[in-house]
Amino acid sequence: MTCPHAAAAQGGPPVVVDPMVQDLDGETARIAAAGPLARIDLLGVPAWAVTRHADARRLLVDPRLVKDLNAWSLWTNGTVTHAWPLIGMVDAGRSMFTVDGDEHRRLRAKTSQALTPRRLEAIRPDIEKFTAELLDALEEAGRDGAVVDLKSVFAQPLPMRVVGMLMGVDPEANTMLTRQYKKFFSMLTPQDERLALLADLDVFYTGLVRAKTALPTDDLTSALILAEEGGEPLTEEEVVGNLKAMVAAGHETTIGLVLNAVRALLAHPDQLRMVLAGEVSWDAVIEETLRWDTPTTHLLMRFATEDIQVGDAVVPKGEGVVISYRVIGRDPEQHGPDADAFDITRPAPIRHMTFGHGPHICPGAALSRVEAGIALPALFARFPRLRLAVPDEELRNLPVMTQNDLESFPVLLDA
């Protein structure tokens, strides 16, 4: 699909976001160079990308930018339809991720309560247990100098196990869910197949919700079903929508965080030595990774309910706005002239916005930090001589436009 007004309103053609993600660093630089409000092309659909930390922080609390799809002129006039491969990112059903204001607060309340620091501390032993089990599997797979994929054996199954446990999902469903979400995000999946798998996920989560309605247990799904914030319980559709999005966000972000941290440390051995010697904390590694190599590249999408001035540019009423977190994380106005450098000694606190800002800030941010804070030191304690089995430049991203998701991460353990 191509929109006739996809050309930039200022300074030439839009930056085309590559669906195959062949040069993420180059694309990040091109979008940044296009200005604080960059015109981008998302598979033929134009949008505005916010590229500066200060602007994003302001816009993420601006009530004139909403999640309501019906505020998007390209949707209401029929230019964008369900044939657009990215429609599932913005038309994802009713959940806390797709509404604003009082309705957003109502849908989010029980999720936030279920992910309190106390609750996260309570599940820490489970995360440590899962981590140890997966490290055992990693060691077995890497025996006798065999190359092993750190992603498929360790970084990917850990967060799926954790979020599945929180949601009350049968562990036997984890492999199926991982496969379905990978197909959903991949630009290689035909759109009819993507829509069908979304329908399959709805069936799966509806079945889970109905089972928990009949027999509630101590998990987030049951908590959402029993929620009566403001005297109005969540509908079945709302619970399903929250679960579907939470499982997606709850495992994808942590996969990227863990792998990106390992990759950055292996590429900067002096900094890795500092961490292993206890001179720099793992928290510093996590926050610098979140800033420098964000798990989410572009967050789709908010819509302007009136003209909004951003610097010298204007987002016209009815147009879509993307928060380009990877570009924002390297904003020199926020992080200094060395913003493009990975540096775990950067002065704290590192005030990035990788998990968002304002009412829609990621409810699972603390969970992702806890998981990475357990997984990373445990990994390097078990395998201090861990190294890539291929040159770093041979690592490839999956064709996922919104996530910084590697195809694989082949390593040698030398345990």
Side-chain angles (χ1 to χ4, degrees):
M1 149 189 331
T2 301
C3 299
H5 53 297
Q10 53 179 10
V15 178
V16 176
V17 179
D18 179 13
M20 295 296 105
V21 197
Q22 298 175 88
D23 179 17
L24 189 55
D25 284 342
E27 180 176 283
T28 297
R30 289 190 295 275
I31 294 174
L37 192 64
R39 198 61 161 159
I40 61 172
D41 181 296
L42 299 167
L43 299 176
V45 171
W48 298 96
V50 182
T51 69
R52 302 293 189 267
H53 179 103
D55 291 330
R57 187 176 179 86
R58 183 171 59 255
L59 289 169
L60 286 171
V61 296
D62 192 324
R64 298 173 297 174
L65 274 182
V66 300
K67 292 281 194 153
D68 184 0
L69 184 62
N70 292 311
W72 192 18
S73 60
L74 294 182
W75 175 256
T76 56
N77 69 20
T79 301
V80 172
T81 68
H82 280 103
W84 186 48
L86 295 173
I87 193 62
M89 303 296 295
V90 291
D91 185 24
R94 184 174 174 78
S95 76
M96 62 181 170
F97 298 93
T98 58
V99 297
D100 299 286
D102 291 342
E103 282 296 277
H104 171 257
R105 286 186 285 274
R106 182 178 73 87
L107 293 175
R108 183 185 174 103
K110 276 295 180 181
T111 300
S112 299
Q113 291 171 22
L115 296 174
T116 61
R118 177 179 295 181
R119 173 64 169 158
L120 295 181
E121 281 305 306
I123 67 170
R124 178 179 287 272
D126 294 297
I127 301 174
E128 291 171 343
K129 175 176 176 288
F130 295 156
T131 298
E133 291 172 352
L134 291 170
L135 288 175
D136 288 344
L138 190 68
E139 184 169 3
E140 182 63 29
R143 285 193 186 283
D144 301 321
V147 174
V148 57
D149 180 13
L150 186 67
K151 178 180 179 179
S152 63
V153 179
F154 181 70
Q156 183 169 277
L158 176 61
M160 181 57 83
R161 282 195 191 184
V162 174
V163 75
M165 176 189 69
L166 280 170
M167 304 295 178
V169 173
D170 185 337
E172 293 184 359
N174 288 345
T175 300
M176 178 275 293
L177 289 173
T178 299
R179 182 176 62 251
Q180 291 289 74
Y181 281 109
K182 290 301 176 190
K183 287 183 179 179
F184 168 71
F185 285 114
S186 175
M187 291 296 99
L188 296 179
T189 302
Q191 183 63 356
D192 57 348
E193 185 177 336
R194 183 180 289 107
L195 295 174
L197 72 86
L198 283 174
D200 290 343
L201 285 172
D202 281 337
V203 170
F204 172 82
Y205 286 114
T206 299
L208 175 63
V209 170
R210 290 176 180 174
K212 298 293 183 180
T213 301
L215 187 63
T217 53
D218 183 20
D219 54 56
L220 181 54
T221 301
S222 299
L224 291 172
I225 293 166
L226 298 173
E228 293 188 2
E229 300 300 321
E232 183 182 353
L234 276 64
T235 67
E236 182 176 272
E237 177 194 3
E238 290 168 343
V239 176
V240 167
N242 272 4
L243 289 176
K244 189 166 58 175
M246 277 294 293
V247 174
H251 81 283
E252 282 288 340
T253 299
T254 307
I255 295 170
L257 172 54
V258 170
L259 290 181
N260 294 348
V262 174
R263 183 181 189 180
L265 289 172
L266 295 182
H268 298 83
D270 290 346
Q271 296 188 50
L272 175 58
R273 283 192 288 271
M274 295 171 66
V275 181
L276 297 182
E279 298 170 15
V280 180
S281 71
W282 283 103
D283 286 346
V285 173
I286 290 167
E287 297 309 313
E288 178 65 351
T289 301
L290 286 169
R291 177 199 74 82
W292 183 71
D293 201 10
T294 57
T296 300
T297 48
H298 307 290
L299 187 66
L300 278 55
M301 188 183 296
R302 286 172 168 79
F303 311 103
T305 57
E306 58 183 81
D307 291 357
I308 301 175
Q309 187 84 30
V310 182
D312 295 331
V314 173
V315 178
K317 177 181 177 180
E319 297 208 3
V321 175
V322 171
I323 309 299
S324 288
Y325 282 117
R326 197 170 194 274
V327 183
I328 290 166
R330 300 190 182 195
D331 178 8
E333 294 178 10
Q334 174 67 19
H335 301 292
D338 64 342
D340 279 335
F342 178 78
D343 181 7
I344 59 174
T345 68
R346 195 175 295 277
I350 301 172
R351 298 191 182 279
H352 62 77
M353 287 197 312
T354 295
F355 288 115
H357 176 66
H360 282 279
I361 190 169
C362 176
L367 174 62
S368 188
R369 286 183 167 104
V370 168
E371 291 178 72
I374 292 171
L376 289 168
L379 173 67
F380 280 99
R382 179 80 73 95
F383 308 111
R385 293 186 294 277
L386 179 80
R387 66 186 191 276
L388 272 171
V390 298
D392 180 88
E393 58 269 21
E394 291 186 14
L395 296 178
R396 296 287 180 265
N397 276 75
L398 286 170
V400 178
M401 295 180 71
T402 55
Q403 305 294 125
N404 186 0
D405 196 354
L406 292 170
E407 287 182 354
S408 62
F409 201 93
V411 296
L412 293 166
L413 304 177
D414 279 357

